[in-house]
Amino acid sequence: MSISAEPAEGVGIADRAHVELSTQRVIPLRHPGRWIATIAVLVLAAQFVHGLATNPFYQWGRFGYWFARPVILRGLWVTLEVTALSAVLGLIGGVVLALARLSRNPVLRTISWVYIWLFRSVPLIVVLLILFNFSALYKTLSLGVPFGPSFFRFDENKLATELVVATIGLSLNEAAYAAEVVRGGILSVGRGQREAAAALGLPRWYQFRRIVLPQALRAIVPAYVNQLIGLIKGTSLVFYVSLLDLFGQVQTMSSTYPGDVVPLLLVATAWYVILTSLVSVAQYWIERRLRAGER
């Protein structure tokens, strides 16, 4: 008996094909257009940075002088104060309006819809100017029985300071947009989640707090952070109601020092970029925590 050492015909062909493929070099697909676009963008970016650094028109020395001046920091503090108050009050109002729009009560749904429609239609500067001149319409405010006697009267001129007018105007405007953000986040949660919770006999408030809200936040946070960034930049309009925020102080100093208009505007730009960047960083960590909870 003799045993052949030759491999089977099919196995030999497969082995030879494998050796041939392993010896071939894979040539990657070339993208010349991508490289051209990259080089063009880098060249434009380098030219822009070079212009910023070498153009004497920007007056970077004066920029450094004004950046942390007490007058600028006072305006920055006013901006932070107005933003914080308006963000909190606007979010609370937005949650109330969103729940009213989702309510089964037709009166609440109608009132909420009209409010959102009205404040999304009227420019913010118009709202601020109307509130600033509110004393021309109502000299005093009273608290008492509707269509009856009043128990307390308030002088509107003493109550409506510039800070109060700015905060109320921004909060009213913010609540209309926050309501749609919150409502969209709630509607993004599948109906089956609420039905399953109801089948388990969980109370409605518990369903909303422990099941609906944690899932809705993943859709609410990115959209509301956009609103918050818009609110930070929108505070620049309070200058028109005589409140000297960051932009108001820059405008005032520009009138006093007309030669420093450009560096002062760059100072305002830098501070707004810093504030919005901090909000973006906070958004990143909040979203990361929400994703960790989902996993």
Side-chain angles (χ1 to χ4, degrees):
M1 178 184 294
S2 63
I3 300 177
S4 175
E6 293 293 329
E9 182 178 356
V11 176
I13 294 175
D15 290 341
R16 286 194 298 272
H18 176 72
V19 172
E20 292 176 358
L21 289 176
S22 62
T23 57
Q24 292 180 357
R25 186 170 63 90
V26 178
I27 300 176
L29 183 63
R30 300 184 185 278
H31 301 279
R34 184 182 302 175
W35 285 103
I36 293 173
T38 301
I39 294 173
V41 170
L42 290 176
V43 169
L44 292 176
Q47 288 181 331
F48 178 74
V49 173
H50 180 266
L52 285 178
T54 59
N55 193 335
F57 185 73
Y58 292 111
Q59 305 179 58
W60 291 111
R62 299 299 295 171
F63 170 86
Y65 171 80
W66 285 109
F67 184 76
R69 296 292 295 176
V71 63
I72 299 297
L73 296 181
R74 284 198 300 270
L76 178 64
W77 175 253
V78 173
T79 295
L80 293 173
E81 189 176 8
V82 173
T83 300
L85 292 173
S86 302
V88 173
L89 295 177
L91 181 58
I92 294 174
V95 172
V96 173
L97 289 169
L99 295 178
R101 281 208 66 182
L102 296 172
S103 172
R104 297 179 181 178
N105 189 320
V107 177
L108 294 179
R109 288 202 309 269
T110 302
I111 293 176
S112 176
W113 183 88
V114 171
Y115 180 96
I116 295 171
W117 164 77
L118 179 63
F119 279 92
R120 290 202 304 178
S121 302
V122 180
L124 176 58
I125 183 63
V126 176
V127 175
L128 291 173
L129 291 177
I130 289 176
L131 292 176
F132 186 65
N133 296 281
F134 198 71
S135 59
L137 300 175
Y138 300 96
K139 298 293 183 181
T140 60
L141 300 176
S142 61
L143 181 64
V145 179
F147 309 104
S150 59
F151 304 129
F152 302 98
R153 289 183 177 275
F154 309 96
D155 188 354
E156 198 273 337
N157 287 320
K158 295 180 179 179
L159 290 177
T161 62
E162 290 83 359
L163 179 63
V164 172
V165 169
T167 302
I168 292 177
L170 290 170
S171 299
L172 293 175
N173 185 78
E174 185 70 12
Y177 291 93
E180 291 300 277
V181 171
V182 174
R183 187 175 71 92
I186 294 175
L187 292 178
S188 67
V189 180
R191 184 179 181 86
Q193 299 283 332
R194 293 188 289 270
E195 292 177 349
L200 293 174
L202 300 177
R204 292 181 62 87
W205 172 245
Y206 187 87
Q207 295 177 28
F208 178 78
R209 185 171 60 91
R210 300 291 295 178
I211 297 175
V212 176
L213 185 59
Q215 299 180 70
L217 283 176
R218 291 196 292 271
I220 291 174
V221 168
Y224 187 71
V225 168
N226 284 337
Q227 285 298 122
L228 186 57
I229 291 175
L231 176 63
I232 293 174
K233 296 184 291 185
T235 55
S236 59
L237 295 176
V238 302
F239 169 72
Y240 295 99
V241 294
S242 301
L243 184 63
L244 294 180
D245 66 324
L246 175 61
F247 180 74
Q249 295 288 8
V250 166
Q251 286 288 87
T252 303
M253 292 297 102
S254 298
S255 301
T256 307
Y257 302 92
D260 290 348
V261 173
V262 173
L264 282 167
L265 290 177
L266 290 175
V267 166
T269 301
W271 276 117
Y272 282 122
V273 169
I274 291 172
L275 294 179
T276 54
S277 299
L278 292 175
V279 173
S280 299
V281 171
Q283 175 190 359
Y284 168 78
W285 287 107
I286 293 174
E287 290 183 351
R288 183 177 178 180
R289 184 174 181 83
L290 292 174
R291 287 196 300 267
E294 180 184 8
R295 291 193 298 267

